[in-house]
């Protein structure tokens, strides 16, 4: 199959908000693929090539702009092979070789194919073909129940090969995919709740757990072998020897655990970015500000697969494993759960997770049986500029550059970006307003003066050298524009910095029995 057919399907998916229409378009394409084309095509359409990050950035792509080809000629398997060829070894001549290979690839691409390839390499192929939509499309094209495809993806940890099995071997092939120790499992995700009371509502008895602001880690052990995987299923075993040693010391033979790695020092838990940077420079559990690990789930223990068992049974297995546990409380009482959340916040953590005691482990889905509750902050910031969107946001100014007021100078300091929370109507209005205020244009960025005031919801801030204000917003999203406020009324950089994790709190993660 020609890549052009995949690109046309990508454009069709990006142009509609209808989930049904997306599934129909994807399923129609999947049904026409040859067996060897399924894995790369599914990877392309979900925006994640099988080769992972290849290391080609904007600067490299901008240096290679051959004239577009007149006719489509690149096949799906050829693009897959070309991306593999771009993963050349480092060393003398490697960059030249990569540029030559990338130039040869783009020289064969039509204009729309080249745009698709560039966005694929940059990780910016936002086309609405998220994994959940693709799972349903695979189910439609193969005639296999979506639940069977979803379960196989959970256990295999990777959608493209599961899609190939479903489309070639059907339900019988999927049923042979089981849980394997040392092979990562897609993590179960949580939906959000406004407060503890609404989180508990309808769930009955729950496990309420401290929500640590760490790095998700899945630990596997089989005999003397230990493997550690991130939320995205990247292998980080070599980067966490202290955690490996802790897992190797457990009184078990085979186990799969789900938890968090977190930097904890004398003054409490570290900020998230400090924990992440610790992956490359720390190695142990003991000592001040060292990386610790705490677990909240057990998916397998000594030959017993537990993903289909209720949470309380998995929690009992976690206790038997001897692994350090995230503090938890089993209750259905709102007052008790709220008090427990207050303890977590006082200890310097994000909030709590509220999980149905009867819930099974449903990987890769934001189900209603797991709910996260954490305080949401809002700030009134100014829009300093915006970037032109891609995919279905092409033609609209989308990614906002956000600034806070500097009382000392009267100017504004950039503190982050966001394209979250924008409806189509707001995008259209925003584009017209920002273009009317445009003061400069640089490549794909439009600068704005005077700025607009926008209310931003965020989970917090972190120290950052990327922005002039020395801080960066975390999980920022647009709530509304504040036409009632002038830029002089926007929040100051001091107000933003006040949301940095505080010092002097007793933030040690400790065991607690519920």
């Amino acid at each position: 199959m020609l890549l052009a057919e995949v690109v046309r399907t990508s454009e069709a998916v990006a142009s509609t908000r209808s989930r049904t229409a997306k599934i129909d378009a994807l399923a129609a394409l999947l049904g026409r693929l040859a067996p060897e084309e399924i894995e790369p095509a599914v990877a392309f359409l979900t925006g994640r090539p099988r080769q992972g990050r290849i290391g080609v950035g904007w600067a490299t792509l901008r240096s290679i702009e051959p004239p577009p080809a007149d006719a489509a000629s690149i096949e799906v398997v050829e693009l897959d092979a070309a991306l593999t060829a771009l993963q050349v070894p480092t060393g003398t001549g490697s960059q030249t070789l990569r540029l030559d290979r990338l130039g040869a690839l783009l020289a064969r691409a039509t204009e729309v194919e080249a745009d698709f390839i560039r966005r694929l390499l940059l990780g910016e192929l936002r086309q609405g073909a998220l994994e959940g939509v693709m799972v349903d499309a695979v189910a439609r094209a193969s005639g296999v129940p979506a639940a069977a495809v979803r379960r196989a993806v959970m256990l295999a940890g990777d959608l493209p090969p599961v899609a190939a099995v479903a489309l070639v071997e059907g339900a019988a092939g999927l049923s042979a995919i089981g849980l394997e120790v040392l092979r990562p499992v897609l993590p179960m995700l949580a939906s959000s709740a406004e407060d503890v009371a609404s989180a508990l509502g309808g769930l009955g008895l729950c496990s309420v757990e401290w929500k640590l602001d760490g790095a998700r880690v899945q630990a596997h052990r089989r005999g003397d072998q230990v493997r550690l995987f991130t939320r995205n299923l990247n292998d980080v075993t070599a980067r966490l020897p202290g955690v490996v040693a802790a897992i190797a010391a457990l009184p078990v033979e085979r186990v799969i655990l789900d938890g968090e790695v977190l930097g904890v020092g004398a003054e409490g838990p570290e900020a998230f970015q400090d924990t992440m940077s610790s992956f490359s420079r720390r190695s142990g559990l003991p000592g001040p500000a060292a990386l610790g690990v705490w677990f909240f789930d057990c998916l397998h223990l000594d030959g017993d697969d537990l993903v289909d068992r209720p949470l309380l049974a998995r929690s009992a297995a976690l206790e038997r494993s001897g692994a350090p546990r995230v503090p938890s409380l089993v209750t259905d009482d709102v007052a008790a759960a709220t008090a427990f959340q207050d303890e977590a916040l006082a200890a310097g953590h994000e909030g709590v997770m509220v999980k149905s005691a009867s819930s099974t482990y449903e990987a890769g889905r934001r189900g209603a049986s797991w709910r996260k509750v954490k305080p949401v902050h809002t700030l009134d910031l100014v829009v300093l500029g915006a970037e032109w969107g891609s995919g279905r946001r092409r033609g609209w100014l989308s990614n906002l550059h956000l600034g806070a007021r500097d009382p000392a100078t009267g100017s504004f300091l950039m503190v982050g970006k966001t394209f979250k929370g924008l409806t189509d109507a707001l995008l259209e209005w925003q584009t017209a307003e920002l273009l009317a205020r445009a003061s400069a244009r640089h490549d794909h960025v439009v600068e704005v003066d005077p700025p607009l005031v926008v209310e931003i919801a965020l989970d917090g801030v972190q120290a950052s050298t990327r922005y002039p204000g020395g801080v960066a917003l975390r999980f920022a999203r647009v709530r509304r524009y504040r036409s009632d406020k002038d830029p002089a009324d926007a929040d100051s950089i001091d107000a933003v910095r006040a949301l940095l994790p505080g010092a002097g709190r007793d933030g040690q993660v400790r065991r607690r029995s519920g």
Side-chain angles (χ1 to χ4, degrees):
M1 175 181 289
L2 290 175
L3 174 64
E5 293 190 56
V6 173
V7 174
R8 280 194 291 271
T9 299
S10 174
E11 292 177 334
V13 169
S15 68
T16 179
R17 301 187 65 180
S18 167
R19 183 183 178 91
T20 299
K22 291 177 188 291
I23 292 170
D24 289 343
L26 291 168
L29 178 82
L30 293 174
R32 300 196 304 272
L33 292 169
E36 68 275 10
E37 297 171 334
I38 297 171
E39 289 193 41
V42 170
F44 298 157
L45 286 166
T46 52
R48 294 197 299 269
R50 297 194 296 172
Q51 295 79 7
R53 289 191 174 274
I54 296 172
V56 175
W58 267 113
T60 300
L61 288 170
R62 290 179 63 183
S63 69
I64 306 172
E65 295 187 355
D70 294 329
S73 65
I74 301 173
E75 296 186 352
V76 168
V77 292
E78 286 184 299
L79 176 57
D80 187 56
L83 296 184
T84 299
L86 290 176
Q87 295 179 306
V88 295
T90 58
T92 304
S94 60
Q95 183 63 12
T96 300
L97 179 59
R98 174 178 290 182
L99 290 173
D100 289 344
R101 290 176 176 176
L102 185 56
L105 172 65
L106 292 176
R108 292 186 56 200
T110 63
E111 184 175 358
V112 292
E113 288 173 333
D115 178 67
F116 181 91
I117 293 169
R118 291 172 187 274
R119 288 187 289 129
L120 184 65
L121 289 169
L122 293 171
E124 295 184 356
L125 198 62
R126 293 187 287 269
Q127 57 198 348
L130 299 176
E131 192 159 282
V133 173
M134 183 60 79
V135 164
D136 288 342
V138 170
R140 174 83 59 81
S142 64
V144 173
V149 178
R150 193 173 295 114
R151 179 180 175 81
V153 173
M154 171 185 77
L155 298 176
D158 197 12
L159 174 56
V162 170
V165 171
L167 289 163
V168 176
E169 303 177 36
L174 291 182
S175 66
I177 299 175
L179 187 69
E180 291 185 15
V181 180
L182 303 183
R183 185 176 69 186
V185 178
L186 284 179
M188 184 168 179
L189 305 176
S191 55
S192 297
E194 186 172 339
D195 51 37
V196 168
S198 60
L200 283 171
L203 292 183
L205 189 66
C206 288
S207 174
V208 184
E209 305 165 1
W210 284 11
K211 188 179 189 310
L212 310 186
D213 189 19
R216 187 93 174 250
V217 65
Q218 189 178 120
H220 290 237
R221 176 179 165 190
R222 185 173 66 195
D224 295 333
Q225 291 182 281
V226 176
R227 301 274 300 278
L228 303 176
F229 302 96
T230 66
R231 173 193 176 108
N232 295 326
L233 309 188
N234 296 319
D235 191 324
V236 290
T237 308
R239 295 159 67 182
L240 296 170
V243 178
V244 170
I247 302 303
L250 296 178
V252 300
E253 285 295 318
R254 298 169 63 189
V255 72
I256 302 177
L257 302 169
D258 196 359
E260 295 272 341
V261 168
L262 180 67
V264 180
E267 296 183 342
E270 288 187 330
F272 175 77
Q273 81 272 17
D274 293 331
T275 293
M276 294 303 294
S277 65
S278 296
F279 270 35
S280 61
R281 57 184 170 84
R282 294 193 188 136
S283 61
L285 292 168
L291 286 178
V293 63
W294 289 266
F295 294 101
F296 50 76
D297 219 321
C298 181
L299 311 187
H300 178 96
L301 181 62
D302 288 336
D304 190 9
D305 290 344
L306 303 168
V307 290
D308 295 323
R309 304 279 292 279
L311 176 61
L312 290 188
R314 302 198 307 276
S315 297
L318 176 58
E319 190 70 33
R320 294 195 303 273
S321 76
R325 295 189 60 179
V326 170
S328 64
L329 173 69
V330 177
T331 185
D332 59 1
D333 182 74
V334 173
T338 301
F340 191 75
Q341 179 191 38
D342 291 341
E343 289 184 33
L345 294 173
H349 299 292
E350 280 195 307
V352 292
M353 299 289 297
V354 178
K355 303 175 181 178
S356 168
S358 61
S359 61
T360 58
Y361 197 91
E362 298 180 81
R365 304 192 69 191
R366 294 191 182 277
S369 56
W370 282 21
R371 300 172 182 176
K372 54 186 174 184
V373 183
K374 54 185 180 180
V376 176
H377 307 284
T378 61
L379 291 169
D380 289 332
L381 301 174
V382 299
V383 178
L384 300 174
E387 299 171 14
W388 289 105
S390 59
R392 60 179 307 275
R393 290 191 175 190
R394 183 178 296 277
W396 285 330
L397 286 171
S398 176
N399 200 16
L400 301 177
H401 293 196
L402 303 170
R405 179 174 49 84
D406 183 356
T409 65
S411 61
F412 299 96
L413 298 174
M414 189 170 174
V415 292
K417 301 179 183 181
T418 188
F419 55 83
K420 303 289 187 181
L422 296 167
T423 64
D424 286 357
L426 193 55
L427 281 164
E428 186 173 357
W429 176 88
Q430 170 180 288
T431 299
E433 285 290 321
L434 297 182
L435 288 177
R437 297 164 180 255
S439 58
R441 303 192 185 204
H442 309 285
D443 196 10
H444 63 295
V445 177
V446 174
E447 293 184 17
V448 174
D449 189 33
L452 292 169
V453 179
V454 63
E455 183 179 328
I456 298 294
L458 63 155
D459 290 358
V461 303
Q462 62 190 38
S464 173
T465 58
R466 181 177 183 182
Y467 299 116
V471 292
L473 310 178
R474 292 197 61 209
F475 304 111
R477 56 268 190 202
V478 173
R479 276 200 165 180
R480 56 176 172 156
Y481 275 89
R482 297 298 304 264
S483 58
D484 58 325
K485 289 194 173 186
D486 294 324
D489 300 320
D491 281 309
S492 70
I493 188 63
D494 296 328
V496 180
R497 291 170 180 159
L499 297 178
L500 284 167
R505 296 174 297 187
D506 176 17
Q508 296 285 355
V509 176
R510 56 191 182 275
R511 290 180 66 84
R512 175 190 173 110
S513 60

